[in-house]
Amino acid sequence: MQDGTALMALDKNFDAQKAESRLYEAWEKAGCFKAGANAKRSETFSIMIPPPNVTGSLHMGHAFNNTLQDILIRWHRMRGFDTLWQPGTDHAGIATQMVVERQSAAKLPSRSEMGRAAFLNKVWDWKSQSGGTIINQLKRLGASCDWDRTAFTMSGAPGAPEGESGNFHDAVIKVFVEMYHKGLIYRGKRLVNWDPHFETAISDLEVENIETAGHMWHFKYPLADGETYTYVEKDADGAITFEEERDYISIATTRPETMLGDGAVAVHPSDARYAPIVGKMCEIPVGPQAQRRLIPIITDEYPDPDFGSGAVKITGAHDFNDYELGKRHGLHMDKNSLCHVGDEDAFAPISILNKKVEIVGIAPKKFHGMDRFDARKLLLEDLQKEELLISEDKYESTLPYGDRSDQILEPLLTDQWYVDAKTLAKPAIEAVKSKEIQFVPNNWEKTYFQWMDNIQDWCISRQLWWGHRIPIWYDESNQP
């Protein structure tokens, strides 16, 4: 220019990353997002961010959810409300443990080898170095949280390093105790989804049901005391199409290893093929014949006469449908309620709560401590040798997988801690029925009520090292 003023060259392309970072840093430095910023009236407005997992990365759900929150926060802040958007992250028990185990697998001892204290130190190290990814992504999104108040659900926990101070750990314990005294938290023996990799119970929300190719095996369960009966099949017109004398009942299963914990064999009340042996006993065909456990043949509406042999083995401690049937008929499902008198070297209880998933009941000692799939292989070999394996067919079934471990889960009967979700759901249901809270569009009410009316109590206990420890102690001298 003629007056000598220097010209500033503009970048050819707009660098959004530089510009957005510069602007956001300026907003933070000016305290634009702090609680009370621009407050000109007495009304308050606050949102506690639904805490994302500390292991997480921003996805479309987070972007949509947090954008809506940001709109509300900024609107109230501009109107002069005393406004706070409280940020924080969740400790993500299983996810964090998985990340740290994978990172250390190549160069460090396993979790069990290093011990609890050393492992937790590794987790805290990881959190301090890599745990802020999603917070930084939220800042890049422009979220106007009061970051000076950033919270963490494990802050203040025993052993937490410097810089992880706070009272959230204590707050969780306080709420647990309060809910326990109100009768909203209780301990119960129920069937749970057990993850054999992480060695813990997990919630229904952490389960993925996947179609999986497998096999269906048909076995002979010999009748007790050498009893026999005439097995007859008929067509739709009542004409006999097959008839033979049998000393066994045929069952089909996709999980042979669970037969070690069977409590009964069930048939449909209308299934005339098995009417002569209802009420009789049959053997679980495992181990020496003289030491086999006997179980009853019962009737229930659950078996489908047209599927497989029409007879199903009932393993109440390892199948959700079997568990409900077992409760209806008062079958023993607790490992402590089963016993065997005999050769202690031949038979032994199967262990619990480890990668070798427990098989409730009494089993030949050679199966003790085996991996479930190794036990299946050995069991099939034994049954084939004794000519108790009738057939093996390819079969696709829906199996539950852990969404973190990608391992097939095992339904397992254990003592866990639960929240009384049905009681807690009542005011939430009433709030929508009374129109205090409204869905837009309102057709989603039907989905909401269907979910809330059928909600199940929530299993909150985990057998993990990383996370809040339930504040319950036991006197070991008084344990059975």
Side-chain angles (χ1 to χ4, degrees), residues 230-245:
T230 303
Y231 175 84
V232 178
E233 291 183 357
K234 298 179 181 180
D235 62 19
D237 297 323
I240 295 176
T241 58
F242 180 80
E243 182 177 353
E244 73 172 359
E245 197 72 10

Side-chain angles (χ1 to χ4, degrees), residues 157-174:
E162 188 176 346
E164 294 290 352
S165 58
N167 66 348
F168 280 86
H169 170 271
D170 294 345
V172 170
I173 301 302
K174 181 176 184 291

Side-chain angles (χ1 to χ4, degrees), residues 6 32 87 102-103 134 152 154 156 161-162 173 177 199 268 276 284 297 319 406 432 456 458 466:
C32 295
R102 285 178 178 174
Q103 286 188 347
I134 202 164
F152 181 53
M154 282 290 286
E162 188 176 346
I173 301 302
V177 173
E199 304 172 25
H268 196 274
I284 298 177
I297 300 170
D319 182 276
D406 292 327
V432 176
Q456 299 296 310
W458 176 28
W466 173 243

Side-chain angles (χ1 to χ4, degrees), residues 61-78:
H62 288 124
F64 176 68
N65 179 300
N66 286 285
T67 297
L68 293 178
Q69 292 176 67
D70 201 14
I71 290 169
L72 286 169
I73 287 291
R74 288 175 184 266
W75 180 51
H76 283 84
R77 189 184 290 127
M78 290 168 67

Side-chain angles (χ1 to χ4, degrees), residues 299-364:
T299 60
D300 192 90
E301 297 290 330
Y302 169 62
D304 180 356
D306 298 321
F307 181 76
S309 67
V312 294
K313 55 189 284 305
I314 305 302
T315 320
H318 283 290
D319 182 276
F320 287 98
N321 290 319
D322 291 7
Y323 177 67
E324 294 301 323
L325 189 151
K327 287 198 297 183
R328 287 197 295 273
H329 293 269
L331 299 178
H332 289 302
M333 295 183 285
D334 183 346
K335 67 184 179 70
N336 295 320
S337 68
L338 297 172
C339 61
H340 173 79
V341 179
D343 184 357
E344 290 299 322
D345 291 330
F347 277 67
I350 299 298
S351 59
I352 191 169
L353 303 184
N354 56 24
K355 285 188 179 181
K356 286 67 177 175
V357 175
E358 179 206 22
I359 301 169
V360 174
I362 302 298

Side-chain angles (χ1 to χ4, degrees), residues 69-298:
Q69 292 176 67
D70 201 14
I71 290 169
L72 286 169
I73 287 291
R74 288 175 184 266
W75 180 51
H76 283 84
R77 189 184 290 127
M78 290 168 67
R79 293 164 64 206
F81 280 67
D82 185 355
T83 306
L84 167 65
W85 190 4
Q86 169 69 55
T89 52
D90 184 80
H91 62 281
I94 289 180
T96 303
Q97 184 164 309
M98 177 182 70
V99 168
V100 175
E101 283 185 334
R102 285 178 178 174
Q103 286 188 347
S104 62
K107 52 189 177 181
L108 293 171
S110 68
R111 169 170 50 91
S112 57
E113 290 172 333
M114 71 173 70
R116 183 185 188 112
F119 179 75
L120 290 179
N121 286 336
K122 293 294 178 188
V123 175
W124 281 114
D125 288 344
W126 173 86
K127 195 267 179 183
S128 64
Q129 295 169 22
S130 308
T133 299
I134 202 164
I135 292 293
N136 293 327
Q137 289 177 326
L138 285 169
K139 288 183 177 182
R140 290 287 290 115
L141 188 66
S144 61
C145 299
D146 185 349
W147 299 110
D148 288 341
R149 293 175 176 244
T150 300
F152 181 53
T153 51
M154 282 290 286
S155 66
E162 188 176 346
E164 294 290 352
S165 58
N167 66 348
F168 280 86
H169 170 271
D170 294 345
V172 170
I173 301 302
K174 181 176 184 291
V175 170
F176 182 98
V177 173
E178 287 177 349
M179 292 181 70
Y180 173 80
H181 286 308
K182 291 177 181 177
L184 295 171
I185 286 179
Y186 64 93
R187 189 177 188 236
K189 185 181 289 294
R190 292 188 179 185
L191 214 58
V192 297
N193 296 298
W194 182 263
D195 190 315
H197 174 76
F198 290 114
E199 304 172 25
T200 183
I202 64 174
S203 74
D204 293 345
L205 296 176
E206 297 166 298
V207 179
E208 292 183 343
N209 293 304
I210 301 173
E211 281 288 323
T212 306
H215 294 82
M216 176 77 77
W217 289 274
H218 290 256
F219 302 107
K220 294 179 180 179
Y221 273 41
L223 299 179
D225 302 321
E227 290 215 34
T228 63
Y229 70 109
T230 303
Y231 175 84
V232 178
E233 291 183 357
K234 298 179 181 180
D235 62 19
D237 297 323
I240 295 176
T241 58
F242 180 80
E243 182 177 353
E244 73 172 359
E245 197 72 10
R246 286 185 175 179
D247 61 356
Y248 66 89
I249 184 169
S250 171
I251 63 95
T253 181
T254 59
R255 300 162 69 210
E257 67 280 4
T258 63
M259 68 170 56
L260 299 167
D262 285 352
V265 169
V267 298
H268 196 274
S270 67
D271 198 334
R273 294 172 297 177
Y274 303 114
I277 55 173
V278 170
K280 305 286 186 181
M281 304 292 283
C282 63
E283 301 172 359
I284 298 177
V286 183
Q289 188 169 18
Q291 298 169 329
R292 290 177 186 168
R293 201 156 53 83
L294 300 181
I295 55 176
I297 300 170
I298 62 175

Side-chain angles (χ1 to χ4, degrees), residues 36-74:
N38 199 47
K40 297 182 178 66
R41 49 206 286 185
S42 60
E43 295 101 323
T44 60
F45 183 79
S46 65
I47 295 177
M48 187 187 77
I49 197 170
N53 286 353
V54 71
T55 58
S57 296
L58 206 63
H59 55 61
M60 288 299 293
H62 288 124
F64 176 68
N65 179 300
N66 286 285
T67 297
L68 293 178
Q69 292 176 67
D70 201 14
I71 290 169
L72 286 169
I73 287 291
R74 288 175 184 266

